[in-house]
Amino acid sequence: MRKTAVAGVAAIFTGLSAAVAALPAWAATPAAKACSTNWGTGARDKALMVQNRVRDVRAGRHACFDRFVVDLGVGRAPGYHVAYVRAFHAEGSGRLVPTSGHAKLLVVVRAPAAVSFNASNRHLVSVAGFAEFRQVAGLGSFEGITSIGLGLRAREPFRVFEFRTASLHVEMVVDVAHG
Protein backbone atom coordinates (compact mmCIF):
# COMPACT_ATOMS: atom_id res chain seq x y z
CA MET A 1 0.00 0.00 0.00
CA ARG A 2 2.87 2.32 0.76
CA LYS A 3 4.42 1.92 -2.73
CA THR A 4 1.06 2.75 -4.34
CA ALA A 5 0.71 5.95 -2.29
CA VAL A 6 4.25 7.05 -3.15
CA ALA A 7 3.67 6.32 -6.83
CA GLY A 8 0.43 8.33 -6.72
CA VAL A 9 2.16 11.31 -5.09
CA ALA A 10 4.98 11.12 -7.63
CA ALA A 11 2.42 11.17 -10.44
CA ILE A 12 0.76 14.25 -8.94
CA PHE A 13 4.09 16.10 -8.68
CA THR A 14 5.02 15.11 -12.23
CA GLY A 15 1.68 16.46 -13.43
CA LEU A 16 2.19 19.68 -11.45
CA SER A 17 5.65 20.31 -12.85
CA ALA A 18 4.27 19.89 -16.36
CA ALA A 19 1.48 22.36 -15.54
CA VAL A 20 3.94 24.90 -14.08
CA ALA A 21 6.16 24.56 -17.15
CA ALA A 22 3.15 25.43 -19.32
CA LEU A 23 2.57 28.75 -17.50
CA PRO A 24 3.86 31.96 -19.07
CA ALA A 25 7.27 33.09 -17.76
CA TRP A 26 5.83 36.07 -15.85
CA ALA A 27 3.46 33.83 -13.86
CA ALA A 28 6.31 31.75 -12.42
CA THR A 29 8.32 34.74 -11.13
CA PRO A 30 8.49 35.49 -7.40
CA ALA A 31 6.79 38.89 -7.97
CA ALA A 32 3.71 37.13 -9.30
CA LYS A 33 3.54 34.88 -6.23
CA ALA A 34 3.58 37.61 -3.55
CA CYS A 35 2.93 41.31 -3.32
CA SER A 36 5.49 43.64 -1.80
CA THR A 37 3.22 45.89 0.29
CA ASN A 38 5.16 46.29 3.54
CA TRP A 39 4.08 49.91 3.86
CA GLY A 40 2.84 50.16 7.44
CA THR A 41 -0.27 51.72 9.00
CA GLY A 42 1.23 54.80 10.67
CA ALA A 43 0.24 58.36 9.72
CA ARG A 44 1.94 60.07 6.77
CA ASP A 45 2.47 63.85 6.71
CA LYS A 46 3.79 66.51 4.39
CA ALA A 47 3.33 70.06 5.68
CA LEU A 48 3.03 72.16 2.52
CA MET A 49 0.00 74.27 1.59
CA VAL A 50 -0.62 74.90 -2.12
CA GLN A 51 -3.00 77.10 -4.07
CA ASN A 52 -3.73 74.72 -6.94
CA ARG A 53 -7.05 73.02 -6.33
CA VAL A 54 -8.47 69.53 -5.92
CA ARG A 55 -10.13 69.01 -9.31
CA ASP A 56 -11.17 65.37 -9.30
CA VAL A 57 -10.67 61.98 -7.63
CA ARG A 58 -10.75 58.42 -8.92
CA ALA A 59 -10.14 54.90 -7.66
CA GLY A 60 -8.64 51.82 -9.26
CA ARG A 61 -8.25 48.13 -8.49
CA HIS A 62 -4.84 46.47 -8.75
CA ALA A 63 -3.62 42.93 -8.04
CA CYS A 64 -2.13 43.80 -4.63
CA PHE A 65 -3.83 47.04 -3.60
CA ASP A 66 -6.70 49.45 -4.13
CA ARG A 67 -5.64 52.90 -5.36
CA PHE A 68 -7.15 56.33 -4.66
CA VAL A 69 -5.96 59.30 -6.76
CA VAL A 70 -6.51 63.02 -6.21
CA ASP A 71 -6.00 65.24 -9.30
CA LEU A 72 -4.75 68.74 -8.45
CA GLY A 73 -4.19 70.12 -11.93
CA VAL A 74 -1.04 72.04 -12.85
CA GLY A 75 1.02 73.38 -9.96
CA ARG A 76 2.97 72.23 -6.92
CA ALA A 77 2.46 68.92 -5.15
CA PRO A 78 0.31 69.47 -2.05
CA GLY A 79 0.97 68.72 1.57
CA TYR A 80 -1.16 66.03 3.16
CA HIS A 81 -2.01 64.12 6.29
CA VAL A 82 -3.18 60.52 5.85
CA ALA A 83 -4.02 58.48 8.93
CA TYR A 84 -6.42 55.94 10.37
CA VAL A 85 -9.09 57.54 12.56
CA ARG A 86 -12.00 56.28 14.66
CA ALA A 87 -14.61 58.42 12.86
CA PHE A 88 -14.93 60.95 10.03
CA HIS A 89 -16.04 64.52 10.69
CA ALA A 90 -17.11 67.14 8.15
CA GLU A 91 -14.70 70.04 7.54
CA GLY A 92 -15.93 73.26 9.07
CA SER A 93 -18.92 71.91 11.02
CA GLY A 94 -17.27 68.92 12.72
CA ARG A 95 -20.41 66.83 12.23
CA LEU A 96 -19.99 63.06 12.28
CA VAL A 97 -20.02 61.55 8.77
CA PRO A 98 -21.06 57.87 8.84
CA THR A 99 -19.45 55.66 6.18
CA SER A 100 -19.32 52.01 5.16
CA GLY A 101 -16.42 49.83 6.24
CA HIS A 102 -14.78 48.66 9.45
CA ALA A 103 -11.71 50.93 9.16
CA LYS A 104 -11.49 54.62 8.33
CA LEU A 105 -8.55 56.22 6.52
CA LEU A 106 -8.65 60.03 6.55
CA VAL A 107 -7.03 61.75 3.57
CA VAL A 108 -6.43 65.47 4.19
CA VAL A 109 -5.12 67.36 1.17
CA ARG A 110 -3.57 70.74 1.96
CA ALA A 111 -5.21 72.41 -1.02
CA PRO A 112 -8.66 73.94 -1.55
CA ALA A 113 -11.31 72.25 -3.68
CA ALA A 114 -12.06 73.60 -7.15
CA VAL A 115 -15.53 75.10 -7.62
CA SER A 116 -16.44 72.19 -9.94
CA PHE A 117 -15.44 69.55 -7.32
CA ASN A 118 -18.19 68.60 -4.88
CA ALA A 119 -16.05 68.11 -1.77
CA SER A 120 -19.09 67.20 0.35
CA ASN A 121 -20.39 64.39 -1.87
CA ARG A 122 -20.69 61.31 0.38
CA HIS A 123 -20.13 58.98 -2.61
CA LEU A 124 -17.34 60.60 -4.63
CA VAL A 125 -16.33 57.44 -6.49
CA SER A 126 -18.02 54.07 -7.01
CA VAL A 127 -15.92 51.38 -5.35
CA ALA A 128 -18.26 48.42 -5.83
CA GLY A 129 -16.25 45.21 -6.16
CA PHE A 130 -13.05 46.61 -4.64
CA ALA A 131 -11.08 44.39 -2.27
CA GLU A 132 -10.49 47.04 0.43
CA PHE A 133 -12.45 50.21 -0.42
CA ARG A 134 -16.06 50.31 0.79
CA GLN A 135 -16.84 54.04 0.38
CA VAL A 136 -15.09 57.24 -0.71
CA ALA A 137 -16.75 60.15 1.08
CA GLY A 138 -16.09 63.84 0.60
CA LEU A 139 -15.79 65.45 4.03
CA GLY A 140 -15.67 69.00 2.70
CA SER A 141 -13.23 71.78 1.96
CA PHE A 142 -12.64 74.57 4.47
CA GLU A 143 -9.91 77.21 4.78
CA GLY A 144 -7.73 75.68 2.07
CA ILE A 145 -8.00 72.10 3.33
CA THR A 146 -9.92 69.35 1.50
CA SER A 147 -10.72 66.15 3.40
CA ILE A 148 -11.81 62.78 2.06
CA GLY A 149 -12.72 59.65 4.02
CA LEU A 150 -11.88 56.18 2.73
CA GLY A 151 -14.14 53.59 4.33
CA LEU A 152 -12.18 50.31 4.24
CA ARG A 153 -12.84 46.61 4.78
CA ALA A 154 -10.10 46.49 7.43
CA ARG A 155 -7.08 48.41 8.69
CA GLU A 156 -4.37 47.51 6.15
CA PRO A 157 -0.93 48.95 5.29
CA PHE A 158 -0.93 51.96 2.97
CA ARG A 159 1.45 54.28 1.15
CA VAL A 160 1.17 57.86 -0.09
CA PHE A 161 3.08 59.50 -2.93
CA GLU A 162 2.64 62.12 -5.61
CA PHE A 163 3.69 62.38 -9.22
CA ARG A 164 3.37 64.64 -12.24
CA THR A 165 1.56 63.34 -15.33
CA ALA A 166 2.63 63.89 -18.95
CA SER A 167 0.17 66.83 -19.06
CA LEU A 168 1.97 68.29 -15.97
CA HIS A 169 -0.93 67.61 -13.60
CA VAL A 170 0.03 66.83 -10.02
CA GLU A 171 -1.63 63.72 -8.60
CA MET A 172 -1.58 62.49 -5.03
CA VAL A 173 -1.91 58.70 -4.66
CA VAL A 174 -2.98 56.56 -1.70
CA ASP A 175 -2.56 52.80 -2.12
CA VAL A 176 -4.14 50.43 0.43
CA ALA A 177 -2.76 46.86 0.48
CA HIS A 178 -5.12 43.93 0.12
CA GLY A 179 -5.45 41.95 3.35
Side-chain angles (χ1 to χ4, degrees):
M1 185 162 197
R2 188 163 226 223
K3 287 183 182 181
T4 308
V6 171
V9 170
I12 290 171
F13 282 116
T14 304
L16 283 177
S17 61
V20 170
L23 290 174
W26 61 265
T29 64
K33 293 179 185 175
C35 298
S36 177
T37 55
N38 298 330
W39 302 325
T41 58
R44 311 296 198 288
D45 279 293
K46 179 180 170 188
L48 175 67
M49 295 289 291
V50 296
Q51 292 305 307
N52 47 320
R53 298 178 180 275
V54 174
R55 299 163 34 107
D56 198 10
V57 296
R58 64 184 182 277
R61 293 181 287 184
H62 295 265
C64 299
F65 54 87
D66 288 351
R67 174 167 284 175
F68 176 69
V69 180
V70 179
D71 180 358
L72 289 121
V74 177
R76 296 173 62 189
Y80 52 80
H81 175 77
V82 181
Y84 281 102
V85 295
R86 290 179 188 247
F88 293 133
H89 298 276
E91 283 292 335
S93 73
R95 289 186 185 152
L96 181 67
V97 177
T99 55
S100 300
H102 295 291
K104 299 181 182 331
L105 187 62
L106 176 64
V107 178
V108 176
V109 184
R110 294 189 170 115
V115 174
S116 61
F117 180 72
N118 184 354
S120 297
N121 182 347
R122 298 300 183 243
H123 297 279
L124 285 172
V125 179
S126 173
V127 290
F130 279 63
E132 294 302 324
F133 294 167
R134 295 297 179 259
Q135 184 176 351
V136 178
L139 304 176
S141 188
F142 185 70
E143 295 183 349
I145 303 289
T146 303
S147 296
I148 299 161
L150 300 179
L152 304 175
R153 180 193 64 78
R155 183 181 174 124
E156 297 293 347
F158 68 94
R159 68 178 174 181
V160 180
F161 62 95
E162 65 266 339
F163 67 93
R164 193 169 302 277
T165 67
S167 61
L168 302 180
H169 281 220
V170 173
E171 294 185 337
M172 183 183 136
V173 177
V174 178
D175 291 337
V176 177
H178 292 169

